Short mmCIF file of all heavy atoms in Angstrom, two decimals:
data_model
loop_
_atom_site.label_atom_id
_atom_site.label_comp_id
_atom_site.label_asym_id
_atom_site.label_seq_id
_atom_site.Cartn_x
_atom_site.Cartn_y
_atom_site.Cartn_z
N GLY B 100 -17.38 67.97 -76.01
CA GLY B 100 -17.48 69.01 -77.05
C GLY B 100 -18.81 68.94 -77.77
O GLY B 100 -19.47 69.96 -78.02
N ALA B 101 -19.22 67.73 -78.12
CA ALA B 101 -20.47 67.55 -78.85
C ALA B 101 -21.65 67.99 -77.98
O ALA B 101 -22.56 68.70 -78.45
CB ALA B 101 -20.63 66.09 -79.27
N SER B 102 -21.64 67.61 -76.70
CA SER B 102 -22.76 67.97 -75.82
C SER B 102 -22.82 69.47 -75.58
O SER B 102 -23.91 70.05 -75.46
CB SER B 102 -22.63 67.29 -74.46
OG SER B 102 -22.16 66.00 -74.60
N LEU B 103 -21.66 70.09 -75.48
CA LEU B 103 -21.62 71.52 -75.25
C LEU B 103 -22.47 72.23 -76.29
O LEU B 103 -23.28 73.11 -75.97
CB LEU B 103 -20.16 72.00 -75.33
CG LEU B 103 -19.89 73.45 -74.93
CD1 LEU B 103 -20.10 73.62 -73.44
CD2 LEU B 103 -18.46 73.84 -75.31
N VAL B 104 -22.31 71.82 -77.54
CA VAL B 104 -23.08 72.42 -78.63
C VAL B 104 -24.53 71.96 -78.54
O VAL B 104 -25.46 72.77 -78.59
CB VAL B 104 -22.48 72.03 -79.99
CG1 VAL B 104 -23.41 72.45 -81.12
CG2 VAL B 104 -21.10 72.66 -80.16
N ALA B 105 -24.74 70.67 -78.39
CA ALA B 105 -26.10 70.12 -78.44
C ALA B 105 -26.97 70.69 -77.33
O ALA B 105 -28.16 70.94 -77.53
CB ALA B 105 -26.05 68.60 -78.34
N LEU B 106 -26.39 70.90 -76.15
CA LEU B 106 -27.20 71.32 -75.01
C LEU B 106 -27.36 72.83 -74.94
O LEU B 106 -28.29 73.32 -74.33
CB LEU B 106 -26.57 70.81 -73.71
CG LEU B 106 -26.52 69.29 -73.54
CD1 LEU B 106 -25.72 68.91 -72.30
CD2 LEU B 106 -27.93 68.70 -73.47
N HIS B 107 -26.41 73.56 -75.54
CA HIS B 107 -26.43 75.00 -75.30
C HIS B 107 -26.70 75.86 -76.51
O HIS B 107 -26.92 77.05 -76.39
CB HIS B 107 -25.11 75.42 -74.65
CG HIS B 107 -24.90 74.79 -73.31
ND1 HIS B 107 -25.52 75.24 -72.17
CD2 HIS B 107 -24.19 73.69 -72.94
CE1 HIS B 107 -25.17 74.47 -71.15
NE2 HIS B 107 -24.38 73.51 -71.60
N LEU B 108 -26.62 75.27 -77.71
CA LEU B 108 -26.94 76.06 -78.89
C LEU B 108 -28.33 75.68 -79.37
O LEU B 108 -28.65 74.49 -79.45
CB LEU B 108 -25.93 75.80 -80.01
CG LEU B 108 -24.59 76.52 -79.91
CD1 LEU B 108 -23.80 76.30 -81.18
CD2 LEU B 108 -24.79 78.01 -79.67
N ASN B 109 -29.09 76.71 -79.69
CA ASN B 109 -30.44 76.42 -80.14
C ASN B 109 -30.48 76.52 -81.66
O ASN B 109 -30.74 77.58 -82.21
CB ASN B 109 -31.41 77.39 -79.50
CG ASN B 109 -32.76 76.75 -79.34
OD1 ASN B 109 -32.99 75.67 -79.90
ND2 ASN B 109 -33.64 77.39 -78.60
N VAL B 110 -30.16 75.42 -82.32
CA VAL B 110 -30.14 75.43 -83.78
C VAL B 110 -31.21 74.46 -84.27
O VAL B 110 -31.32 73.35 -83.77
CB VAL B 110 -28.77 74.99 -84.31
CG1 VAL B 110 -28.74 75.06 -85.82
CG2 VAL B 110 -27.67 75.85 -83.71
N GLU B 111 -31.97 74.92 -85.23
CA GLU B 111 -33.05 74.08 -85.74
C GLU B 111 -32.54 73.08 -86.77
O GLU B 111 -32.93 71.92 -86.76
CB GLU B 111 -34.13 74.96 -86.41
CG GLU B 111 -34.89 75.82 -85.43
CD GLU B 111 -35.85 74.97 -84.59
OE1 GLU B 111 -36.56 74.14 -85.19
OE2 GLU B 111 -35.85 75.12 -83.35
N SER B 112 -31.63 73.58 -87.64
CA SER B 112 -31.22 72.74 -88.77
C SER B 112 -30.39 71.54 -88.30
O SER B 112 -29.40 71.69 -87.59
CB SER B 112 -30.39 73.58 -89.74
OG SER B 112 -29.48 72.76 -90.42
N HIS B 113 -30.81 70.37 -88.71
CA HIS B 113 -30.11 69.13 -88.36
C HIS B 113 -28.67 69.18 -88.85
O HIS B 113 -27.73 68.91 -88.11
CB HIS B 113 -30.85 67.96 -89.01
CG HIS B 113 -30.13 66.66 -88.89
ND1 HIS B 113 -29.92 66.02 -87.69
CD2 HIS B 113 -29.57 65.85 -89.83
CE1 HIS B 113 -29.26 64.88 -87.89
NE2 HIS B 113 -29.03 64.77 -89.19
N PHE B 114 -28.51 69.59 -90.10
CA PHE B 114 -27.18 69.58 -90.71
C PHE B 114 -26.23 70.52 -89.98
O PHE B 114 -25.11 70.15 -89.63
CB PHE B 114 -27.29 69.97 -92.19
CG PHE B 114 -25.96 69.98 -92.87
CD1 PHE B 114 -25.33 68.79 -93.22
CD2 PHE B 114 -25.30 71.17 -93.13
CE1 PHE B 114 -24.09 68.79 -93.83
CE2 PHE B 114 -24.06 71.18 -93.74
CZ PHE B 114 -23.46 69.99 -94.09
#
Side-chain angles (χ1 to χ4, degrees):
Chain B
S102 320
L103 188 69
V104 170
L106 296 173
H107 297 281
L108 281 187
N109 209 349
V110 183
E111 291 288 313
S112 152
H113 172 66
F114 180 76

